Amino acid sequence: DLRSARLSPGLTDVHVNAVMASVQIILPPGVRVVDSVRAFMASVTDDSYSVLTPDPSVPVIRLTGRAVMAEVKVRTKTHRML
């Protein structure tokens, strides 16, 4: 869950190594996602509302790594106020 993370403008790498697992990456709105995860008998989905702008001030998460018989899902979710 990266909703509380302070993401700097530019690129942040997140390396995923999932084997027979389920991984969910939750991002705040306004973050662009670049998916470079290699999948073998796996599902890698980006359900986030990625920002489609070349603006250099927008944080970019680059997902790298591999998924083997696994599920990797990226989604956007806002904080719920208590």
Side-chain angles (χ1 to χ4, degrees), residues 21-44:
S22 178
V23 177
Q24 284 192 22
I25 299 170
I26 304 171
L27 301 173
V31 175
R32 185 172 158 227
V33 177
V34 176
D35 174 20
S36 298
V37 176
R38 294 174 302 173
F40 176 75
M41 295 176 58
S43 170
V44 179

Side-chain angles (χ1 to χ4, degrees), residues 25-74:
I25 299 170
I26 304 171
L27 301 173
V31 175
R32 185 172 158 227
V33 177
V34 176
D35 174 20
S36 298
V37 176
R38 294 174 302 173
F40 176 75
M41 295 176 58
S43 170
V44 179
T45 57
D46 179 5
D47 294 336
S48 69
Y49 306 113
S50 289
V51 178
L52 299 176
T53 178
D55 183 359
S57 67
V58 172
V60 177
I61 299 288
R62 179 173 53 195
L63 298 177
T64 60
R66 66 185 181 127
V68 178
M69 294 189 291
E71 174 189 41
V72 177
K73 181 178 260 189
V74 180

Side-chain angles (χ1 to χ4, degrees), residues 5-25:
R6 294 183 188 188
L7 299 171
S8 62
L11 187 64
T12 301
D13 282 314
V14 175
H15 187 79
V16 177
N17 188 18
V19 178
M20 294 177 26
S22 178
V23 177
Q24 284 192 22
I25 299 170

